[in-house]
């Protein structure tokens, strides 16, 4: 039987993978609450750590499902960096085959190797893309879902407007469509569905979850920041991403004078600060963050807002 992943969730949400932020506990709590939880494989420092994370997630979710036959956890997902610069490319691919996450999110690079590994055990591959060219390319490589990373997103955001992007992709794409960028509450999730998305892909809103790996300083900065505090630059990783200006100032740098593309990247010698670790990322949805909360509290709020918005629409239409 072909599983429709839309039927396996209680809210059409994927908790987006976030480098140095997503934790196994977040994934487990998210899945138990009925949304798809995910993490970047490289958040586990070594292959041995990763194997432990896989054990923890699969064991805890299996226990939960055994105890709750009529309230099964949503599927879980991992994020695989499909770029050749991924130093654990082969090792992580083998672990994916062993632990068989139902969904693998491929980023940065040709998804072909991960598509053949994941399809061999019946899993799905979603690829994140920032424009039509990459969307078409990923579709041609046989992925099952396209994650459209739009303007204002946290991390390596695109520049396209979500309405224009999803409309254009839908002209050639019949697979799972996932919308990403500044989706923060139940109303936004419903809006993504109205535009034609199967799932909303949500990152920033989950950074200050109690179970995340983000530091207290990061949480506090998110609470105090607004969308005006972001800078979209390629100076730190060579690829444009959204960062919190106050974290740049805190690291002793001048946000108005950072240099050229890649000047402050990991690969440069003599770097004193590291993107993601010292320089913190957030999307324009940062505005919605007012306090730290548990993963379950955030999802509960989203479910309530989603029902409320649906009811309003329904009443408006009758
Ligand atoms: C701190 C942070 C780290 C991220 N790390 C990754 C990553 O490792 N891999 C990835 O595919 N996307 C990463 N992203 C992007 C998210 O998966 C997602 O596309 C984005 O957060 C969605 O936009 P939003 O933050 O506005 O909800 C990251 C985003 C943030 C904010």
């Amino acid at each position: 039987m072909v599983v429709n992943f839309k039927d396996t969730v209680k809210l059409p949400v994927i908790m987006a993978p976030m480098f140095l932020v997503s934790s196994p506990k977040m994934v487990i709590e998210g899945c138990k609450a009925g949304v798809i939880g995910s993490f970047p494989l490289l958040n586990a420092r070594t292959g041995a750590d990763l194997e432990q994370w896989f054990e923890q997630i699969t064991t805890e979710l299996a226990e939960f499902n055994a105890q709750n036959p009529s309230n099964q956890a949503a599927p879980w997902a991992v994020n695989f960096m499909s770029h050749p610069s991924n130093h654990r490319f082969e090792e992580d691919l083998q672990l994916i085959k062993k632990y068989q996450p139902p969904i693998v999110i491929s980023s940065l690079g040709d998804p072909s190797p991960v598509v053949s590994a994941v399809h061999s055990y019946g899993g799905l591959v979603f690829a994140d893309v920032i424009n039509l060219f990459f969307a078409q390319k990923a579709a041609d490589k046989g992925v099952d879902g396209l994650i459209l990373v739009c303007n204002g997103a946290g991390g390596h955001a695109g520049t396209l407007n979500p309405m224009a992007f999803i409309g254009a992709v839908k002209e050639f794409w019949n697979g799972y469509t996932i919308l990403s960028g500044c989706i923060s509450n139940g109303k936004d999730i419903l809006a993504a569905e109205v535009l034609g998305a199967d799932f909303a892909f949500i990152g920033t809103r989950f950074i200050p979850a109690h179970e995340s790996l983000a530091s207290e300083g990061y949480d506090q900065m998110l609470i105090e920041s607004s969308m005006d505090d972001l800078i979209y630059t390629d100076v730190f990783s060579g690829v444009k991403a959204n960062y919190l200006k106050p974290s740049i100032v805190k690291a002793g740098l001048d946000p108005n004078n950072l240099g050229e593309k890649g000047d402050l990247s990991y690969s440069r010698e003599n770097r004193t600060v590291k993107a993601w670790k010292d320089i913190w990322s957030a999307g324009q949805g940062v505005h919605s963050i007012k306090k730290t909360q548990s993963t379950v509290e955030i999802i509960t709020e989203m479910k309530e807002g989603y029902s409320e918005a649906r009811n309003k629409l329904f009443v408006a239409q009758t």
Side-chain angles (χ1 to χ4, degrees), residues 256-284:
N256 298 314
N257 192 16
L258 290 170
E260 304 291 321
K261 175 175 174 166
D263 274 359
L264 299 170
S265 79
Y266 265 50
S267 51
R268 297 285 165 107
E269 282 179 25
N270 301 326
R271 66 180 191 267
T272 49
V273 295
K274 289 183 180 174
W276 315 107
K277 181 171 173 282
D278 308 302
I279 309 296
W280 297 325
S281 177
Q284 290 171 9

PDB file of all heavy atoms in Angstrom, residues 256-284:
ATOM      1  N   ASN A 256      27.895  46.352   9.016  1.00  0.00           N
ATOM      2  CA  ASN A 256      27.911  47.200   7.828  1.00  0.00           C
ATOM      3  C   ASN A 256      29.231  47.137   7.076  1.00  0.00           C
ATOM      4  O   ASN A 256      29.426  47.817   6.081  1.00  0.00           O
ATOM      5  CB  ASN A 256      27.621  48.660   8.217  1.00  0.00           C
ATOM      6  CG  ASN A 256      26.248  48.783   8.831  1.00  0.00           C
ATOM      7  OD1 ASN A 256      25.291  48.228   8.297  1.00  0.00           O
ATOM      8  ND2 ASN A 256      26.165  49.460   9.968  1.00  0.00           N
ATOM      9  N   ASN A 257      30.147  46.327   7.583  1.00  0.00           N
ATOM     10  CA  ASN A 257      31.471  46.280   6.971  1.00  0.00           C
ATOM     11  C   ASN A 257      32.062  44.878   7.111  1.00  0.00           C
ATOM     12  O   ASN A 257      33.052  44.670   7.799  1.00  0.00           O
ATOM     13  CB  ASN A 257      32.356  47.322   7.677  1.00  0.00           C
ATOM     14  CG  ASN A 257      33.638  47.553   6.939  1.00  0.00           C
ATOM     15  OD1 ASN A 257      33.759  47.177   5.766  1.00  0.00           O
ATOM     16  ND2 ASN A 257      34.616  48.132   7.624  1.00  0.00           N
ATOM     17  N   LEU A 258      31.425  43.921   6.433  1.00  0.00           N
ATOM     18  CA  LEU A 258      31.802  42.511   6.646  1.00  0.00           C
ATOM     19  C   LEU A 258      32.748  41.967   5.584  1.00  0.00           C
ATOM     20  O   LEU A 258      33.369  40.927   5.782  1.00  0.00           O
ATOM     21  CB  LEU A 258      30.539  41.638   6.682  1.00  0.00           C
ATOM     22  CG  LEU A 258      29.648  41.819   7.913  1.00  0.00           C
ATOM     23  CD1 LEU A 258      28.312  41.097   7.717  1.00  0.00           C
ATOM     24  CD2 LEU A 258      30.334  41.314   9.167  1.00  0.00           C
ATOM     25  N   GLY A 259      32.855  42.653   4.446  1.00  0.00           N
ATOM     26  CA  GLY A 259      33.720  42.157   3.386  1.00  0.00           C
ATOM     27  C   GLY A 259      32.932  41.487   2.287  1.00  0.00           C
ATOM     28  O   GLY A 259      31.738  41.718   2.145  1.00  0.00           O
ATOM     29  N   GLU A 260      33.641  40.633   1.537  1.00  0.00           N
ATOM     30  CA  GLU A 260      33.053  40.028   0.335  1.00  0.00           C
ATOM     31  C   GLU A 260      32.600  38.600   0.604  1.00  0.00           C
ATOM     32  O   GLU A 260      32.909  38.029   1.650  1.00  0.00           O
ATOM     33  CB  GLU A 260      34.117  40.006  -0.784  1.00  0.00           C
ATOM     34  CG  GLU A 260      34.716  41.347  -1.119  1.00  0.00           C
ATOM     35  CD  GLU A 260      33.718  42.274  -1.795  1.00  0.00           C
ATOM     36  OE1 GLU A 260      32.939  41.780  -2.625  1.00  0.00           O
ATOM     37  OE2 GLU A 260      33.698  43.475  -1.456  1.00  0.00           O
ATOM     38  N   LYS A 261      31.950  38.034  -0.411  1.00  0.00           N
ATOM     39  CA  LYS A 261      31.452  36.656  -0.362  1.00  0.00           C
ATOM     40  C   LYS A 261      32.508  35.675   0.182  1.00  0.00           C
ATOM     41  O   LYS A 261      33.626  35.631  -0.330  1.00  0.00           O
ATOM     42  CB  LYS A 261      31.076  36.254  -1.792  1.00  0.00           C
ATOM     43  CG  LYS A 261      30.638  34.827  -1.975  1.00  0.00           C
ATOM     44  CD  LYS A 261      30.195  34.623  -3.421  1.00  0.00           C
ATOM     45  CE  LYS A 261      29.901  33.155  -3.655  1.00  0.00           C
ATOM     46  NZ  LYS A 261      29.177  32.914  -4.893  1.00  0.00           N
ATOM     47  N   GLY A 262      32.154  34.934   1.196  1.00  0.00           N
ATOM     48  CA  GLY A 262      33.032  33.886   1.722  1.00  0.00           C
ATOM     49  C   GLY A 262      34.200  34.382   2.553  1.00  0.00           C
ATOM     50  O   GLY A 262      34.967  33.574   3.092  1.00  0.00           O
ATOM     51  N   ASP A 263      34.359  35.699   2.712  1.00  0.00           N
ATOM     52  CA  ASP A 263      35.530  36.230   3.438  1.00  0.00           C
ATOM     53  C   ASP A 263      35.609  35.694   4.862  1.00  0.00           C
ATOM     54  O   ASP A 263      36.696  35.544   5.413  1.00  0.00           O
ATOM     55  CB  ASP A 263      35.462  37.764   3.511  1.00  0.00           C
ATOM     56  CG  ASP A 263      36.066  38.410   2.280  1.00  0.00           C
ATOM     57  OD1 ASP A 263      36.543  37.658   1.402  1.00  0.00           O
ATOM     58  OD2 ASP A 263      36.050  39.655   2.190  1.00  0.00           O
ATOM     59  N   LEU A 264      34.467  35.442   5.483  1.00  0.00           N
ATOM     60  CA  LEU A 264      34.469  34.988   6.877  1.00  0.00           C
ATOM     61  C   LEU A 264      34.002  33.535   6.975  1.00  0.00           C
ATOM     62  O   LEU A 264      33.446  33.109   7.977  1.00  0.00           O
ATOM     63  CB  LEU A 264      33.577  35.896   7.727  1.00  0.00           C
ATOM     64  CG  LEU A 264      34.011  37.369   7.774  1.00  0.00           C
ATOM     65  CD1 LEU A 264      32.937  38.234   8.420  1.00  0.00           C
ATOM     66  CD2 LEU A 264      35.319  37.524   8.524  1.00  0.00           C
ATOM     67  N   SER A 265      34.259  32.760   5.896  1.00  0.00           N
ATOM     68  CA  SER A 265      33.738  31.394   5.882  1.00  0.00           C
ATOM     69  C   SER A 265      34.625  30.443   6.680  1.00  0.00           C
ATOM     70  O   SER A 265      35.778  30.747   6.979  1.00  0.00           O
ATOM     71  CB  SER A 265      33.593  30.890   4.453  1.00  0.00           C
ATOM     72  OG  SER A 265      34.836  30.497   3.975  1.00  0.00           O
ATOM     73  N   TYR A 266      34.069  29.278   6.966  1.00  0.00           N
ATOM     74  CA  TYR A 266      34.763  28.225   7.715  1.00  0.00           C
ATOM     75  C   TYR A 266      36.132  27.892   7.123  1.00  0.00           C
ATOM     76  O   TYR A 266      37.078  27.604   7.834  1.00  0.00           O
ATOM     77  CB  TYR A 266      33.921  26.930   7.648  1.00  0.00           C
ATOM     78  CG  TYR A 266      33.019  26.731   8.813  1.00  0.00           C
ATOM     79  CD1 TYR A 266      32.177  27.738   9.234  1.00  0.00           C
ATOM     80  CD2 TYR A 266      33.004  25.523   9.486  1.00  0.00           C
ATOM     81  CE1 TYR A 266      31.327  27.548  10.302  1.00  0.00           C
ATOM     82  CE2 TYR A 266      32.161  25.317  10.559  1.00  0.00           C
ATOM     83  CZ  TYR A 266      31.334  26.330  10.966  1.00  0.00           C
ATOM     84  OH  TYR A 266      30.504  26.127  12.034  1.00  0.00           O
ATOM     85  N   SER A 267      36.188  27.924   5.774  1.00  0.00           N
ATOM     86  CA  SER A 267      37.400  27.436   5.115  1.00  0.00           C
ATOM     87  C   SER A 267      38.556  28.443   5.172  1.00  0.00           C
ATOM     88  O   SER A 267      39.689  28.090   4.901  1.00  0.00           O
ATOM     89  CB  SER A 267      37.073  27.097   3.661  1.00  0.00           C
ATOM     90  OG  SER A 267      36.428  28.201   3.093  1.00  0.00           O
ATOM     91  N   ARG A 268      38.254  29.683   5.508  1.00  0.00           N
ATOM     92  CA  ARG A 268      39.319  30.682   5.553  1.00  0.00           C
ATOM     93  C   ARG A 268      40.156  30.537   6.815  1.00  0.00           C
ATOM     94  O   ARG A 268      39.603  30.337   7.897  1.00  0.00           O
ATOM     95  CB  ARG A 268      38.741  32.104   5.513  1.00  0.00           C
ATOM     96  CG  ARG A 268      38.001  32.420   4.241  1.00  0.00           C
ATOM     97  CD  ARG A 268      38.975  32.648   3.101  1.00  0.00           C
ATOM     98  NE  ARG A 268      38.266  32.599   1.825  1.00  0.00           N
ATOM     99  CZ  ARG A 268      38.022  33.666   1.091  1.00  0.00           C
ATOM    100  NH1 ARG A 268      38.421  34.843   1.470  1.00  0.00           N
ATOM    101  NH2 ARG A 268      37.395  33.545  -0.049  1.00  0.00           N
ATOM    102  N   GLU A 269      41.454  30.663   6.637  1.00  0.00           N
ATOM    103  CA  GLU A 269      42.328  30.605   7.822  1.00  0.00           C
ATOM    104  C   GLU A 269      42.167  31.867   8.654  1.00  0.00           C
ATOM    105  O   GLU A 269      41.671  32.875   8.182  1.00  0.00           O
ATOM    106  CB  GLU A 269      43.774  30.457   7.373  1.00  0.00           C
ATOM    107  CG  GLU A 269      44.057  29.029   6.968  1.00  0.00           C
ATOM    108  CD  GLU A 269      45.473  28.858   6.506  1.00  0.00           C
ATOM    109  OE1 GLU A 269      46.331  29.658   6.922  1.00  0.00           O
ATOM    110  OE2 GLU A 269      45.697  27.918   5.728  1.00  0.00           O
ATOM    111  N   ASN A 270      42.579  31.792   9.889  1.00  0.00           N
ATOM    112  CA  ASN A 270      42.562  32.927  10.816  1.00  0.00           C
ATOM    113  C   ASN A 270      41.167  33.423  11.147  1.00  0.00           C
ATOM    114  O   ASN A 270      41.000  34.536  11.604  1.00  0.00           O
ATOM    115  CB  ASN A 270      43.372  34.120  10.274  1.00  0.00           C
ATOM    116  CG  ASN A 270      44.793  33.736  10.034  1.00  0.00           C
ATOM    117  OD1 ASN A 270      45.351  32.919  10.771  1.00  0.00           O
ATOM    118  ND2 ASN A 270      45.382  34.283   8.989  1.00  0.00           N
ATOM    119  N   ARG A 271      40.162  32.627  10.854  1.00  0.00           N
ATOM    120  CA  ARG A 271      38.826  33.087  11.201  1.00  0.00           C
ATOM    121  C   ARG A 271      38.703  33.088  12.730  1.00  0.00           C
ATOM    122  O   ARG A 271      39.250  32.232  13.414  1.00  0.00           O
ATOM    123  CB  ARG A 271      37.751  32.196  10.582  1.00  0.00           C
ATOM    124  CG  ARG A 271      37.786  30.797  11.167  1.00  0.00           C
ATOM    125  CD  ARG A 271      36.727  29.900  10.575  1.00  0.00           C
ATOM    126  NE  ARG A 271      36.684  28.688  11.391  1.00  0.00           N
ATOM    127  CZ  ARG A 271      37.385  27.604  11.112  1.00  0.00           C
ATOM    128  NH1 ARG A 271      38.172  27.583  10.056  1.00  0.00           N
ATOM    129  NH2 ARG A 271      37.295  26.558  11.902  1.00  0.00           N
ATOM    130  N   THR A 272      38.020  34.037  13.248  1.00  0.00           N
ATOM    131  CA  THR A 272      37.881  34.108  14.703  1.00  0.00           C
ATOM    132  C   THR A 272      36.476  33.735  15.138  1.00  0.00           C
ATOM    133  O   THR A 272      36.258  33.338  16.263  1.00  0.00           O
ATOM    134  CB  THR A 272      38.202  35.524  15.215  1.00  0.00           C
ATOM    135  OG1 THR A 272      37.464  36.438  14.425  1.00  0.00           O
ATOM    136  CG2 THR A 272      39.680  35.828  15.135  1.00  0.00           C
ATOM    137  N   VAL A 273      35.517  33.878  14.219  1.00  0.00           N
ATOM    138  CA  VAL A 273      34.137  33.527  14.574  1.00  0.00           C
ATOM    139  C   VAL A 273      33.597  32.527  13.553  1.00  0.00           C
ATOM    140  O   VAL A 273      34.066  32.482  12.424  1.00  0.00           O
ATOM    141  CB  VAL A 273      33.222  34.773  14.585  1.00  0.00           C
ATOM    142  CG1 VAL A 273      33.628  35.732  15.671  1.00  0.00           C
ATOM    143  CG2 VAL A 273      33.209  35.436  13.232  1.00  0.00           C
ATOM    144  N   LYS A 274      32.652  31.740  13.992  1.00  0.00           N
ATOM    145  CA  LYS A 274      32.081  30.741  13.085  1.00  0.00           C
ATOM    146  C   LYS A 274      30.593  30.987  12.884  1.00  0.00           C
ATOM    147  O   LYS A 274      29.851  31.141  13.864  1.00  0.00           O
ATOM    148  CB  LYS A 274      32.253  29.348  13.692  1.00  0.00           C
ATOM    149  CG  LYS A 274      33.676  28.851  13.696  1.00  0.00           C
ATOM    150  CD  LYS A 274      33.702  27.445  14.243  1.00  0.00           C
ATOM    151  CE  LYS A 274      35.130  26.926  14.266  1.00  0.00           C
ATOM    152  NZ  LYS A 274      35.225  25.620  14.917  1.00  0.00           N
ATOM    153  N   ALA A 275      30.194  30.978  11.600  1.00  0.00           N
ATOM    154  CA  ALA A 275      28.763  31.093  11.306  1.00  0.00           C
ATOM    155  C   ALA A 275      28.045  29.924  11.936  1.00  0.00           C
ATOM    156  O   ALA A 275      28.604  28.830  12.050  1.00  0.00           O
ATOM    157  CB  ALA A 275      28.548  31.074   9.805  1.00  0.00           C
ATOM    158  N   TRP A 276      26.825  30.105  12.339  1.00  0.00           N
ATOM    159  CA  TRP A 276      25.930  29.139  12.979  1.00  0.00           C
ATOM    160  C   TRP A 276      26.282  28.961  14.448  1.00  0.00           C
ATOM    161  O   TRP A 276      25.409  28.944  15.295  1.00  0.00           O
ATOM    162  CB  TRP A 276      25.892  27.766  12.274  1.00  0.00           C
ATOM    163  CG  TRP A 276      25.796  27.896  10.778  1.00  0.00           C
ATOM    164  CD1 TRP A 276      26.797  27.657   9.872  1.00  0.00           C
ATOM    165  CD2 TRP A 276      24.673  28.353  10.003  1.00  0.00           C
ATOM    166  NE1 TRP A 276      26.357  27.931   8.601  1.00  0.00           N
ATOM    167  CE2 TRP A 276      25.067  28.351   8.649  1.00  0.00           C
ATOM    168  CE3 TRP A 276      23.375  28.771  10.328  1.00  0.00           C
ATOM    169  CZ2 TRP A 276      24.207  28.748   7.621  1.00  0.00           C
ATOM    170  CZ3 TRP A 276      22.512  29.156   9.296  1.00  0.00           C
ATOM    171  CH2 TRP A 276      22.939  29.146   7.976  1.00  0.00           C
ATOM    172  N   LYS A 277      27.597  28.869  14.776  1.00  0.00           N
ATOM    173  CA  LYS A 277      27.958  28.679  16.190  1.00  0.00           C
ATOM    174  C   LYS A 277      27.976  30.034  16.911  1.00  0.00           C
ATOM    175  O   LYS A 277      27.362  30.197  17.959  1.00  0.00           O
ATOM    176  CB  LYS A 277      29.334  28.014  16.266  1.00  0.00           C
ATOM    177  CG  LYS A 277      29.807  27.732  17.665  1.00  0.00           C
ATOM    178  CD  LYS A 277      31.077  26.861  17.632  1.00  0.00           C
ATOM    179  CE  LYS A 277      31.675  26.696  19.009  1.00  0.00           C
ATOM    180  NZ  LYS A 277      32.426  27.893  19.433  1.00  0.00           N
ATOM    181  N   ASP A 278      28.687  31.017  16.328  1.00  0.00           N
ATOM    182  CA  ASP A 278      28.787  32.351  16.948  1.00  0.00           C
ATOM    183  C   ASP A 278      27.855  33.359  16.270  1.00  0.00           C
ATOM    184  O   ASP A 278      27.351  34.275  16.915  1.00  0.00           O
ATOM    185  CB  ASP A 278      30.220  32.888  16.828  1.00  0.00           C
ATOM    186  CG  ASP A 278      31.239  31.900  17.343  1.00  0.00           C
ATOM    187  OD1 ASP A 278      31.136  31.520  18.519  1.00  0.00           O
ATOM    188  OD2 ASP A 278      32.126  31.486  16.569  1.00  0.00           O
ATOM    189  N   ILE A 279      27.708  33.199  14.970  1.00  0.00           N
ATOM    190  CA  ILE A 279      26.832  34.108  14.215  1.00  0.00           C
ATOM    191  C   ILE A 279      25.527  33.352  13.996  1.00  0.00           C
ATOM    192  O   ILE A 279      25.504  32.321  13.322  1.00  0.00           O
ATOM    193  CB  ILE A 279      27.460  34.475  12.842  1.00  0.00           C
ATOM    194  CG1 ILE A 279      28.899  34.975  13.008  1.00  0.00           C
ATOM    195  CG2 ILE A 279      26.588  35.484  12.107  1.00  0.00           C
ATOM    196  CD1 ILE A 279      29.032  36.258  13.776  1.00  0.00           C
ATOM    197  N   TRP A 280      24.453  33.847  14.582  1.00  0.00           N
ATOM    198  CA  TRP A 280      23.208  33.085  14.643  1.00  0.00           C
ATOM    199  C   TRP A 280      22.250  33.461  13.519  1.00  0.00           C
ATOM    200  O   TRP A 280      22.107  34.635  13.171  1.00  0.00           O
ATOM    201  CB  TRP A 280      22.544  33.310  16.007  1.00  0.00           C
ATOM    202  CG  TRP A 280      23.388  32.810  17.143  1.00  0.00           C
ATOM    203  CD1 TRP A 280      24.191  31.707  17.115  1.00  0.00           C
ATOM    204  CD2 TRP A 280      23.524  33.379  18.453  1.00  0.00           C
ATOM    205  NE1 TRP A 280      24.808  31.541  18.339  1.00  0.00           N
ATOM    206  CE2 TRP A 280      24.412  32.545  19.177  1.00  0.00           C
ATOM    207  CE3 TRP A 280      22.967  34.486  19.096  1.00  0.00           C
ATOM    208  CZ2 TRP A 280      24.772  32.793  20.493  1.00  0.00           C
ATOM    209  CZ3 TRP A 280      23.313  34.744  20.407  1.00  0.00           C
ATOM    210  CH2 TRP A 280      24.212  33.904  21.096  1.00  0.00           C
ATOM    211  N   SER A 281      21.590  32.435  13.008  1.00  0.00           N
ATOM    212  CA  SER A 281      20.652  32.631  11.900  1.00  0.00           C
ATOM    213  C   SER A 281      19.205  32.676  12.393  1.00  0.00           C
ATOM    214  O   SER A 281      18.864  32.047  13.397  1.00  0.00           O
ATOM    215  CB  SER A 281      20.817  31.490  10.898  1.00  0.00           C
ATOM    216  OG  SER A 281      19.867  31.627   9.863  1.00  0.00           O
ATOM    217  N   ALA A 282      18.392  33.414  11.669  1.00  0.00           N
ATOM    218  CA  ALA A 282      16.939  33.414  11.900  1.00  0.00           C
ATOM    219  C   ALA A 282      16.285  33.951  10.632  1.00  0.00           C
ATOM    220  O   ALA A 282      16.926  34.657   9.840  1.00  0.00           O
ATOM    221  CB  ALA A 282      16.567  34.313  13.079  1.00  0.00           C
ATOM    222  N   GLY A 283      15.018  33.613  10.452  1.00  0.00           N
ATOM    223  CA  GLY A 283      14.258  34.145   9.325  1.00  0.00           C
ATOM    224  C   GLY A 283      13.385  35.303   9.776  1.00  0.00           C
ATOM    225  O   GLY A 283      13.325  35.634  10.974  1.00  0.00           O
ATOM    226  N   GLN A 284      12.672  35.888   8.815  1.00  0.00           N
ATOM    227  CA  GLN A 284      11.845  37.062   9.146  1.00  0.00           C
ATOM    228  C   GLN A 284      10.703  36.729  10.115  1.00  0.00           C
ATOM    229  O   GLN A 284      10.139  37.609  10.749  1.00  0.00           O
ATOM    230  CB  GLN A 284      11.292  37.682   7.858  1.00  0.00           C
ATOM    231  CG  GLN A 284      12.388  38.345   7.034  1.00  0.00           C
ATOM    232  CD  GLN A 284      11.930  38.770   5.653  1.00  0.00           C
ATOM    233  OE1 GLN A 284      10.745  38.725   5.333  1.00  0.00           O
ATOM    234  NE2 GLN A 284      12.870  39.174   4.813  1.00  0.00           N
TER     235      GLN A 284
END
